[in-house]
């Protein structure tokens, strides 16, 4: 919006407090702060929720793949053939054999429920989700027949185990004898401790070579499932459709959307709800801008009348008040962007400080899934939030600007 020199001078004058106008300036300042807080809150919440979803997706898919091929029965005895079919399918990047079985582990009199995961040694070492998160020990020490396993950090903490500790895994489905089934208890050495960052994984998982898992579970050369990764997780159903037709009757395919449907749907609903609720803060700030401009127009009625008699046009007066209100909104948006980015940069430090001061655990990994507060800022969302606040601020200026332009100088100055 182009202003003439005198219009810029008057707009600048109205943005600064004049004699007897401290209250109007206070309301305008409150409006600016409200816009700042609304924009910052939206950016912070949306970035945290984006980060939460991205972190969960990366960790879940990093361990479970984009889909798993599971047997119709208990195990996959012909898993090599099925893995070959999956690998040859266009769009599939890997098809890895996998064993997962819920069991129990004991150490120093402590017992915890676990999920034993058997993987090929090369798959264990090449898995980025596990390999980059080793806290103690080394994955290189875990080889077939070595009796060494990798366990989650939370599980190690619950058991009190360290690298080198001897843990015992309890399999209730042991060998059959004339006196019944004898449970199978096998001892393993902790070779590595990892922390994926998802509480449910870090408290449950024990990873071992697939050969050791087959021996522990007495399943021979069978596997429990085949983990499949594709070039595009969002198109996993279409990519694996040919595989589904070829293995029909022998196995079924479960995608990451099906395995975690409720979680990601809940996140999507909460994301929309939070955006809607927090947008109300910006609307409240916009109404503050509206009220401050109305009071400014009332206070400047005589000045407006004089300007009209000196030749100021109605549209010129409208531009002045529109610029004043939009400037307040724009300054609030800039301040909100700065505040939001600063908060996101120091988010974990702020959470830790608040926990220290209040003595409350604000981020319990057992409830929040993740061990740290995540964040992922989407430039498109940030731009949308800023534009929304600017548009609302501009719309709030229309009525006061119209009232100012409609001022009749004859009626105002009649008794002057």
């Amino acid at each position: 919006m182009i202003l003439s020199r005198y219009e810029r001078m008057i707009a600048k004058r109205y943005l600064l407090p004049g004699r007897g106008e401290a209250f109007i300036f206070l309301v305008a300042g409150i409006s600016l702060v409200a816009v700042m807080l609304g924009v910052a809150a939206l950016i912070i919440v949306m970035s945290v929720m984006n980060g939460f979803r991205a972190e969960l997706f990366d960790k879940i898919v990093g361990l479970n793949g984009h889909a798993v091929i599971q047997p119709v029965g208990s195990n996959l005895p012909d898993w090599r053939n099925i893995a070959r079919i999956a690998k040859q399918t266009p769009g599939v990047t890997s098809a890895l054999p996998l064993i997962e079985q819920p069991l129990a582990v004991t150490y120093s009199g402590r017992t915890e429920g676990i999920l034993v995961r058997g993987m090929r040694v090369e798959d264990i070492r090449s898995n980025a989700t596990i390999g980059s998160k080793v806290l103690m020990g080394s994955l290189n020490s875990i080889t077939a027949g070595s009796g060494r396993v990798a366990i989650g950090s939370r599980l190690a903490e619950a058991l009190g185990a360290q690298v080198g500790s001897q843990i015992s895994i309890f399999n209730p489905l042991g060998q059959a004898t004339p006196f019944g089934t004898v449970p199978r208890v096998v001892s393993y050495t902790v070779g590595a401790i990892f922390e994926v960052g998802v509480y449910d994984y870090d408290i449950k998982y024990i990873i071992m070579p697939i050969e050791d898992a087959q021996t522990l579970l007495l399943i021979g050369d069978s596997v429990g499932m085949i983990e499949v990764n594709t070039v595009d997780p969002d198109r996993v159903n279409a990519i694996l459709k040919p595989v589904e037709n070829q293995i029909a009757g022998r196995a079924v395919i479960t995608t990451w959307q099906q395995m975690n449907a409720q979680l990601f749907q809940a996140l999507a609903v909460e994301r929309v709800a939070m955006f809607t609720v927090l947008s109300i803060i910006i609307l409240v700030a916009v109404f503050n801008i509206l009220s401050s401009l109305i009071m400014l127009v009332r206070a400047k009625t005589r000045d407006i009348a004089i300007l009209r008699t000196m030749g100021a046009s109605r549209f010129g007066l409208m531009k002045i008040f529109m610029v004043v209100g939009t400037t307040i909104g724009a300054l609030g948006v800039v301040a909100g962007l700065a505040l939001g980015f600063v908060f996101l940069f120091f988010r974990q430090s702020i959470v830790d400080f608040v926990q220290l001061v209040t003595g409350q655990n604000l981020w319990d990994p057992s409830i929040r899934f993740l061990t740290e507060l995540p964040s992922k800022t989407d430039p498109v969302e940030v731009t949308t939030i800023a534009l929304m606040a600017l548009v609302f601020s501009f719309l709030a200026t229309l009525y006061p600007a119209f009232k100012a332009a409609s001022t009749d100088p004859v009626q105002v100055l009649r008794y002057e």
Side-chain angles (χ1 to χ4, degrees):
M1 188 178 296
I2 301 176
L3 299 180
S4 64
R5 183 177 179 182
Y6 91 90
E7 289 171 345
R8 287 197 301 271
M9 179 189 68
I10 296 173
K12 182 179 179 181
R13 172 66 181 82
Y14 285 174
L15 280 169
L16 300 175
R19 184 182 304 173
E21 299 168 358
F23 182 72
I24 298 176
F25 181 74
L26 175 63
V27 174
I30 293 174
S31 304
L32 189 151
V33 172
V35 172
M36 177 188 70
L37 293 177
V39 170
L42 268 174
I43 291 174
I44 292 169
V45 171
M46 300 307 294
S47 297
V48 168
M49 297 199 71
N50 289 339
F52 194 84
R53 186 188 187 280
E55 284 290 315
L56 277 179
F57 178 80
D58 290 343
K59 300 296 172 42
I60 290 174
V61 171
L63 278 178
N64 298 321
H66 298 161
V68 292
I69 301 175
Q70 297 174 306
V72 175
S74 57
N75 294 303
L76 279 174
D78 60 339
W79 62 270
R80 288 182 176 84
N81 181 42
I82 295 177
R84 179 182 56 80
I85 294 173
K87 283 183 180 179
Q88 294 175 350
T89 303
V92 173
T93 58
S94 65
L96 312 177
L98 196 67
I99 295 174
E100 277 193 358
Q101 182 66 37
L103 298 175
V105 64
T106 61
Y107 176 75
S108 296
R110 302 179 184 179
T111 303
E112 295 288 337
I114 60 170
L115 192 63
V116 169
R117 168 176 280 237
M119 304 171 64
R120 293 182 302 187
V121 173
E122 59 269 27
D123 296 336
I124 295 175
R125 296 175 183 175
S126 63
N127 189 295
T129 304
I130 302 173
S132 62
K133 302 295 183 180
V134 176
L135 302 181
M136 300 174 63
S138 173
L139 294 179
N140 293 329
S141 66
I142 301 173
T143 57
S146 66
R148 290 182 174 271
V149 297
I151 69 174
S153 59
R154 300 283 177 174
L155 178 60
E157 182 181 342
L159 293 173
Q162 300 289 334
V163 171
S165 300
Q166 292 285 332
I167 60 175
S168 298
I169 297 181
F170 176 81
N171 179 13
L173 300 178
Q175 293 181 337
T177 68
F179 302 99
T181 301
V182 178
R184 182 176 176 80
V185 181
V186 181
S187 296
Y188 295 93
T189 302
V190 177
I193 297 175
F194 61 87
E195 184 175 285
V196 174
V198 178
Y199 181 84
D200 286 354
Y201 294 162
D202 294 333
I203 193 65
K204 293 292 184 183
Y205 270 107
I206 291 184
I207 297 174
M208 63 176 62
I210 196 168
E211 297 85 354
D212 293 353
Q214 290 170 337
T215 302
L216 172 64
L217 299 173
L218 302 174
I219 59 174
D221 191 41
S222 300
V223 301
M225 64 186 73
I226 296 174
E227 175 190 290
V228 180
N229 287 296
T230 65
V231 293
D232 186 356
D234 293 325
R235 295 180 51 248
V236 64
N237 286 304
I239 293 173
L240 295 181
K241 187 64 177 178
V243 179
E244 186 178 8
N245 296 332
Q246 294 185 62
I247 64 174
R250 292 183 292 167
V252 295
I253 298 177
T254 305
T255 65
W256 68 269
Q257 294 104 323
Q258 295 169 328
M259 288 186 286
N260 307 280
Q262 293 182 340
L263 175 61
F264 286 102
Q265 286 176 4
L267 286 176
V269 172
E270 185 176 2
R271 187 169 175 272
V272 174
M274 292 301 293
F275 183 88
T276 303
V277 171
L278 291 175
S279 296
I280 297 176
I281 299 177
I282 296 180
L283 287 176
V284 172
V286 165
F287 281 116
N288 284 337
I289 293 176
L290 175 64
S291 62
S292 65
L293 287 179
I294 290 175
M295 287 188 291
L296 182 62
V297 170
R298 293 293 298 272
K300 299 296 184 180
T301 300
R302 184 173 178 273
D303 295 354
I304 294 170
I306 293 174
L307 288 172
R308 290 283 289 120
T309 59
M310 295 175 64
S313 65
R314 294 179 182 271
F315 183 63
L317 290 173
M318 285 189 67
K319 288 194 294 183
I320 291 172
F321 286 94
M322 288 164 66
V323 166
V324 170
T326 305
T327 301
I328 294 173
L331 292 175
V333 169
V334 172
L337 291 173
L339 178 63
F341 291 141
V342 169
F343 185 95
L344 291 173
F345 185 79
F346 296 103
R347 64 188 183 280
Q348 193 59 46
S349 300
I350 293 173
V351 171
D352 295 338
F353 175 75
V354 174
Q355 289 182 154
L356 179 64
V357 172
T358 62
Q360 301 294 321
N361 187 3
L362 301 180
W363 192 262
D364 187 354
S366 62
I367 299 174
R368 312 291 184 182
F369 293 102
L370 302 179
T371 55
E372 291 187 351
L373 181 65
S375 172
K376 182 180 180 181
T377 303
D378 185 352
V380 176
E381 282 187 351
V382 172
T383 303
T384 301
I385 292 170
L387 289 177
M388 180 182 69
L390 288 174
V391 170
F392 285 170
S393 300
F394 174 77
L395 293 177
T397 66
L398 296 181
Y399 176 73
F402 177 77
K403 292 295 291 183
S406 301
T407 300
D408 185 356
V410 176
Q411 294 294 330
V412 175
L413 300 177
R414 174 179 297 176
Y415 302 105
E416 293 292 333

